[in-house]
Amino acid sequence: MGIPANALKEDELFHYASLEPGAADELARRIAAGDIDPNAGLEDLREDIRMLESQADDAEDEANLLRTYMAEASEFIRRAMSPEERQFSVNELLEKALGRLE
């Protein structure tokens, strides 16, 4: 027994069209009749893409900043372990490293 395609809502038709031939036929009929505009949600999708791209850029910026802080913390730790370091005490260098990691 198939899905009663003529009773499906628009979003349901789009979902079931690839699964149920009757739904695909009903979707095609409604598009041909002008009852459904297949491009209606296109601008919403474009806005979603822009938002996701912005979030990805923000996440990349944050990751780059964290990498910079980790590199600086590593350098402070290397300096703390170096016997040649005379400018700062081991505790001062470790405090600087900890500050970068927090």
Side-chain angles (χ1 to χ4, degrees):
M1 181 166 133
I3 297 172
N6 60 345
L8 294 175
K9 292 184 264 180
E10 182 177 324
D11 59 331
E12 294 171 329
L13 275 176
F14 280 107
H15 175 75
Y16 287 112
S18 63
L19 305 172
E20 175 69 33
D25 292 341
E26 179 64 16
L27 179 62
R29 185 194 69 71
R30 289 187 196 179
I31 290 172
D35 296 337
I36 292 178
D37 179 7
N39 297 319
L42 198 54
E43 188 53 41
D44 289 339
L45 291 174
R46 286 187 178 127
E47 181 58 35
D48 290 346
I49 290 169
R50 283 190 289 273
M51 182 186 65
L52 290 171
E53 287 172 340
S54 176
Q55 289 174 347
D57 289 343
D58 291 346
E60 184 178 353
D61 291 345
E62 186 174 343
N64 287 334
L65 185 60
L66 290 173
R67 279 191 279 280
T68 299
Y69 288 161
M70 288 182 351
E72 290 173 357
S74 296
E75 180 57 29
F76 287 132
I77 292 169
R78 276 190 209 90
R79 286 175 59 189
M81 294 170 54
S82 172
E84 295 87 30
E85 178 60 46
R86 304 278 184 240
Q87 186 177 4
F88 297 101
S89 72
V90 170
N91 277 349
E92 290 172 323
L93 289 168
L94 291 176
E95 284 175 8
K96 288 178 179 279
L98 185 60
R100 283 301 187 199
L101 293 173
E102 290 178 334

